[in-house]
Each structure stands twice: as C-alpha cells, then as structure tokens.
Amino acid sequence: MDLVTPAIGLVFWTTLVFIILLVILRKVAWKPILTAVEEREANITNALRSAEMAKEEMLALKADNDRILREARIERDGILKDAREMKEAIMKEAREKSAEQSEKMLADAHEAIHNQKMAAITELKNQVATLSIEIAEKVLRKELESKEKQQSLVDSLLKEIGNN
Amino acid sequence: MGRKAISIFAFLTVFCLATPMMAQDEHADHSNDSTHSAVVDSHSEAHHASDASAHEEGEEEFNAAEVIMHHIADSHEFHAWGEGENGFTLPLPIILWTDAGLVTFLSSEFHHDDAAHHVVEKKSQRFVKYHDKIYYASETANEHGAYVSYDEEHHPTNIKPLDFSITKNVFSMLLSVVLILLIMIPAGSSYKKNGGIPKGVAGFIEPLVLFVRDDIARPNIGEERYKKFLPYLLTVFFFIWLNNLIGLVPVFPFSSNLTGNIAVTFTLAFMTLLITNFSANKGYWKHIFLPHVPLWLYPIMIPVEVIGILSKPFALMIRLFANISAGHIIILSLTALIFIFKSLWISPVSVFFVLFMNFIELLVAALQAYIFTLLSALFIGLAHVEEEHH
C-alpha cells in the first residue's frame, strides 16, 4: 500500500523542482533552440521561394530573350526585304535614268549631227555659191573679154526683155 | 554510438551484479544476533528493516520481496556501498513540519535505524524512523524496543509529522536537474556562438526537440496552439527520460526509482490534468456537460464524462509508475536469484537475463517518456473541441 500512496514531501519537491526546471529550461534551452530552428526553417523556406522565383525569373528572361530574338529576326527579315526592295527600286531607277540619258544623249547627238550637217550643207552651199560666182566671174570675164561679145550679150538681153 | 552504449551497458550490468556478490562475503558475520546466518542483500537497509520478524524466527532468511520493495521505495538516506561501519551511506536532510514548526536534522542522527529503536529529540519533540517513515515517538518502547505502537495489522498507529525531507528520490531528482541543465544550457547557448547551426551537444538535442515538436505536439495539439505547450512537453519528456535512465544505472549516486514512484508520476499527471483543463475551450466543457444525447441519458453521460476528465491523467500516472517500477522489480528479482539459490553458479543466468532486461528497459525508458508526452499532448489537443464538429 505504501507503494501506491503518494508521499506529500515528494509531491511537494517534484512540483517545485519541475516548475523551476520548466522555467529555466524554457529560458535557456527551449527558446534558443526553437528560435534557431524556426529561423533556419524560415531561411530555408525563403531560400526555396527565392530559388523558385529566380527560376521563374530566368524562365521569363529566357522567354523574353526568345521574343527579342524572334523580333530581331523578323526585323532583320524586314530590313533585308526593304533593302532588297530599295535595291530593286534604285536599280530600276538607275536603269530608267540611264536609258533616259542615253536616249537624250542620242537625241542630242542626232541634233548635233543634224546641225553640223546643216552647217556643213550651208557652208557647202556658200562655198558652192562663192565658187559659182567665182566661176561665173571667171566665165564672164572670159566671155566678155572682147567688145563684140559684150555687145552680143547686151543685144540678147535686150531682146529677151523686149520679148517680155 | 550504438556499440559504445552496448559496452557501457554491459559493464554497468556486470557491475550491478558484482556489487551484491561481493557484499555476500563481507556480510557473513555482520549481525547483532548470535544465530544469524549470512544475510545477503544488495541494500543493507533491508537488513535493518527486516529484523523485527527475523529475530523471532531465530534465523534471518533472505527475503527477496522485502529487498526489492525496499529498493523501489523512497528512503531518507542514500546507501552507496558496503555494510555498517565499512560502508558509505549519504545522509540526507530531514525536514519536518511539526506541531512546533519546522524541524530539520540529518538522517544520520537515526544511526541507520529504521525500526523505531533510535529516538531523535528536536525542539522538545521526539521522532523515530520506522520503515522509512518519520513518526512522533511513543513515550516508552514496546516489547521489541521500538518506540511505536501497532494496530492489529502491525502498522504503527503513531502520528506522523508532515515530511518534506530531501529523500533519496528528491536527491536523485535534483541530480537529474543538474544533469539536464548541464546538457541543455550548453545546447541552448551553442546556437548563438555557431550562428544558428546545431553543433556539439545541440546536434544531439535538436533532433529530439524537433521530434517532440513535429511528432508529438504539432499533430496532436494543432498548428495554431502547439507552441504554447511545447516548453511543458519538452521538459516533461526530458525529465522523465533522464530520470528513467538514471534509475537504470545501478551505482551510487544513481539507481533511484524516481519515475517509478507514485508521488512523482502523480505530480506530473496532475500537471497534465491542470494544463488540459485550464487550456480547454467552451466546446470541451459543452461536450462534457451538454453532450449531444437524449436528455434522459444525461444522468449517465455527465458522470461518465466527468470521470473521463480524471481517468485520462490517472492512466498516465499509473502507466509510468507501473512500467518503471516493474522494470526495477524484474531486474532486482533476476539479481536476487543468486541469493535465493545461494549459488554463484546461477549468476550467468542472472547476468544474461539482467543484461537482456536492461536493454529492454533502455527502450522502455525512452518509450515511457515518449508515451507520457504523447498522451499529454493528445489530452491537451482533445480539450480543444471545435464547435462545428457538433
């Protein structure tokens, strides 16, 4: 029966000692240990979350890069196309201009040739006229060397006028 | 780690058995009666305790039950080793609250008397110690020379003063507190030094703390409230565990049966009872006094529920007490075999079985601490009934 009868003294000391132990341990052991553990857990959670965030960020960055690359490619294609178009246009224009110019040059040449021809013709005409006059002079001089010949001409001319 | 523990245990077990065997030789002529045969016990106090009946028979038999019961009971002195003058017994302070106020003296003033033969006089009051209880002494000695009077069942009828002595168990408890603090203070302070990383003893303590938190407190009490009860649960866990282990070490200043003492388990269970009921919410009390049963069942249900409040911590008290006491009784019984058979040849059997039991007790020490903590957490959790469940 003694075995199962709690002794008042031991109950008293157990209560006292246990409560003191509880108070001391709470301050010196449980609080620092649990605080450290909780801090560590918070750190781990944060680290995991930031790693997750970094991963997401990287994915976003990658997507961004892809988008930029795609856009750049499109832009490049556009630029190339524009350049090609421009080249075509320039070439076409150049061709047109050159054709025009050559035509104009041709026309100018024609005109120049024509002018020169005309000038030559005129000169020739003048020369021929001069020559003709000179010849006529010479012929006339020859014809009218003698008095009779001069007379006969005047006669003929008078005759002609008289006929009219 | 495991191998080391095994070798330590093997050593302690052999030591435990060796001590009483050596005592056998020393003991042969230690007696105050001419007809005594060798009395063999590992605890010399039993010799004094058993004298009254043994004297009459004329021969002192080895009484295993008496030795064992003496060991698992509390004592006002702490016997370390040896017998009588050759031995060493740590005297412990006796603190009494008497009719004339506080009385204190050392247990050595009783001169190892445990049969009310020796009277100590303090503040004009006379005290005797009989079976490790302090009584006011009778005026005159009875026919056995004891200053007590008996009833029909041979129990003393003398009045007892309130006994607040530092007994063997209180001493052991204080020792355990010192050990716990020696372990926990470095563990707690190491975090600051190492920047929150568990190093040294903290590396051993932290997993246990986390075990109590994550496997005991959290699932049973719930995420929102568990933090409040964690200091109690942790303290109770380590207190019970360490004292269970101290009880398993067979040499002075350990070997006491603190957690196998009903007063200790009562106190711890009573604390759980208080915490459970003071932290209980409305739903819990409603569940007890306004259960969802037909009204005519109330006269049955309410008493049942009220008994339930008490029976839960009562089971806690009995479970720890019975488990630890039983472990001590078994180990002592196996050791006592040697003296019952009065043969050294039985010792290999004793050694083997005691060793075996010590391993089981090592497990039980941790298991009972775990169960006590777990059930405390469970009761605390159960006392918080969510209203919407009904």
Side-chain angles (χ1 to χ4, degrees):
Chain A
M1 203 52 212
D2 278 357
L3 205 60
V4 289
T5 313
I8 177 85
L10 197 51
V11 170
F12 167 78
W13 287 111
T14 309
T15 311
L16 188 74
V17 167
F18 187 86
I19 287 170
I20 292 170
L21 182 70
L22 176 63
V23 170
I24 294 175
L25 282 185
R26 192 170 63 181
K27 192 169 174 341
V28 303
W30 310 144
K31 211 172 198 172
I33 292 176
L34 291 169
T35 312
V37 166
E38 273 159 23
E39 264 170 26
R40 198 183 318 139
E41 282 170 346
N43 280 347
I44 291 168
T45 316
N46 282 347
L48 282 176
R49 195 178 300 139
S50 51
E52 196 66 33
M53 265 161 70
K55 204 172 139 195
E56 268 167 29
E57 230 161 79
M58 219 155 83
L59 278 176
L61 216 66
K62 212 178 149 216
D64 232 32
N65 280 351
D66 281 351
R67 187 177 54 78
I68 288 169
L69 208 68
R70 207 166 41 244
E71 277 174 9
R73 203 169 288 143
I74 289 166
E75 208 167 323
R76 186 198 65 183
D77 287 352
I79 289 168
L80 278 177
K81 199 171 144 222
D82 281 358
R84 209 175 297 127
E85 273 167 12
M86 203 180 278
K87 184 190 83 180
E88 296 285 319
I90 288 169
M91 272 170 76
K92 196 174 156 207
E93 202 180 341
R95 244 192 326 261
E96 273 167 11
K97 224 176 232 172
S98 69
E100 205 174 282
Q101 205 153 8
S102 62
E103 238 165 71
K104 197 179 157 208
M105 272 166 77
L106 220 64
D108 282 359
H110 272 297
E111 206 182 315
I113 290 166
H114 181 73
N115 288 348
Q116 299 239 319
K117 202 172 95 185
M118 292 315 275
I121 288 169
T122 313
E123 212 184 302
L124 202 64
K125 269 185 190 163
N126 290 345
Q127 220 147 9
V128 166
T130 316
L131 275 176
S132 302
I133 292 164
E134 276 179 18
I135 292 165
E137 201 188 275
K138 276 186 182 150
V139 167
L140 279 176
R141 212 166 281 199
K142 214 94 182 197
E143 261 319 289
L144 299 171
E145 260 177 277
S146 55
K147 278 279 201 159
E148 357 29 282
K149 278 182 185 179
Q150 286 173 2
Q151 199 62 49
S152 72
L153 182 58
V154 174
D155 290 348
S156 69
L157 282 171
L158 284 169
K159 212 180 171 180
E160 252 174 68
I161 296 165
N163 283 348
N164 285 339
Chain B
M1 177 76 201
R3 184 162 297 178
K4 207 171 169 189
I6 289 170
S7 55
I8 288 169
F9 244 90
F11 170 75
L12 291 175
T13 313
V14 171
F15 198 94
C16 155
L17 287 169
T19 315
M21 275 185 257
M22 287 184 287
Q24 190 169 23
D25 302 328
E26 297 168 9
H27 210 297
D29 58 357
H30 177 81
S31 57
N32 44 16
D33 203 306
S34 55
T35 51
H36 277 192
S37 66
V39 169
V40 187
D41 67 52
S42 54
H43 303 270
S44 66
E45 300 94 321
H47 170 66
H48 303 287
S50 61
D51 61 351
S53 51
H55 280 208
E56 287 162 349
E57 289 160 24
E59 186 176 315
E60 207 167 342
E61 280 290 326
F62 172 70
N63 188 338
E66 206 160 351
V67 169
I68 291 165
M69 284 305 147
H70 187 82
H71 168 84
I72 65 169
D74 205 354
S75 170
H76 280 89
E77 53 190 13
F78 202 156
H79 174 241
W81 60 78
E83 285 295 331
E85 298 306 310
N86 303 321
F88 173 69
T89 300
L90 183 74
L92 295 168
I94 287 174
I95 303 164
L96 301 172
W97 184 256
T98 66
D99 303 337
L102 206 62
V103 173
T104 55
F105 55 95
L106 272 184
S107 68
S108 52
E109 292 196 32
F110 282 118
H111 296 284
H112 304 300
D113 166 54
D114 197 33
H117 288 170
H118 192 95
V119 177
V120 174
E121 252 194 88
K122 295 279 163 186
K123 285 194 180 174
S124 67
Q125 291 177 108
R126 299 160 72 247
F127 304 103
V128 286
K129 189 154 78 81
Y130 184 82
H131 287 196
D132 259 311
K133 284 196 179 62
I134 312 285
Y135 296 91
Y136 290 113
S138 305
E139 286 300 314
T140 50
N142 60 16
E143 65 271 28
H144 302 298
Y147 289 85
V148 285
S149 46
Y150 305 109
D151 59 13
E152 303 88 58
E153 288 162 347
H154 208 71
H155 293 306
T157 53
N158 297 39
I159 302 161
K160 286 182 279 186
L162 282 178
D163 189 352
F164 293 103
S165 304
I166 306 293
T167 57
K168 182 176 157 186
N169 277 338
V170 177
F171 172 81
S172 182
M173 180 162 57
L174 294 172
L175 181 74
S176 78
V177 167
V178 170
L179 285 177
I180 289 175
L181 291 180
L182 280 179
I183 296 166
M184 293 303 175
I185 290 174
S189 61
S190 82
Y191 284 90
K192 212 165 257 177
K193 275 180 274 172
N194 298 317
I197 296 152
K199 272 189 182 158
V201 70
F204 174 70
I205 296 301
E206 194 190 291
L208 296 167
V209 171
L210 288 185
F211 169 71
V212 172
R213 190 191 71 169
D214 295 337
D215 291 321
I216 296 177
R218 248 191 192 146
N220 290 307
I221 301 175
E223 200 62 43
E224 312 87 51
R225 298 170 65 244
Y226 82 93
K227 271 185 187 161
K228 204 166 48 170
F229 304 102
L230 214 45
Y232 171 70
L233 295 174
L234 283 166
T235 311
V236 110
F237 177 77
F238 283 99
F239 182 80
I240 294 175
W241 191 29
L242 195 82
N243 277 301
N244 286 349
L245 290 177
I246 282 175
L248 291 181
V249 181
V251 290
F252 180 81
F254 306 106
S255 83
S256 67
N257 182 32
L258 183 74
T259 41
N261 189 297
I262 196 86
V264 174
T265 62
F266 163 79
T267 311
L268 295 176
F270 191 70
M271 285 182 195
T272 297
L273 173 81
L274 290 182
I275 291 170
T276 304
N277 288 292
F278 279 106
S279 73
N281 67 353
K282 227 164 70 185
Y284 169 76
W285 294 114
K286 211 167 164 182
H287 184 76
I288 288 167
F289 292 110
L290 297 166
H292 280 250
V293 291
L295 211 63
W296 60 270
L297 274 175
Y298 272 30
I300 304 167
M301 283 307 287
I302 290 173
V304 165
E305 292 285 355
V306 170
I307 289 167
I309 297 175
L310 298 171
S311 69
K312 282 185 278 187
F314 188 81
L316 272 186
M317 170 179 85
I318 296 298
R319 182 179 299 107
L320 184 59
F321 158 73
N323 270 285
I324 303 306
S325 285
H328 280 246
I329 290 169
I330 291 169
I331 288 175
L332 288 164
S333 306
L334 289 167
T335 312
L337 279 182
I338 299 167
F339 309 109
I340 290 167
F341 285 99
K342 292 194 174 120
S343 159
L344 208 58
W345 298 108
I346 201 79
S347 61
V349 179
S350 282
V351 168
F352 175 78
F353 281 108
V354 169
L355 189 58
F356 175 72
M357 275 313 296
N358 264 323
F359 279 117
I360 291 179
E361 284 305 304
L362 201 56
L363 174 72
V364 168
L367 194 68
Q368 287 304 321
Y370 166 65
I371 289 175
F372 194 98
T373 316
L374 178 76
L375 289 178
S376 292
L378 187 71
F379 298 156
I380 292 167
L382 285 177
H384 199 83
V385 181
E386 298 300 330
E387 296 273 4
E388 60 265 22
H389 286 190
H390 293 282

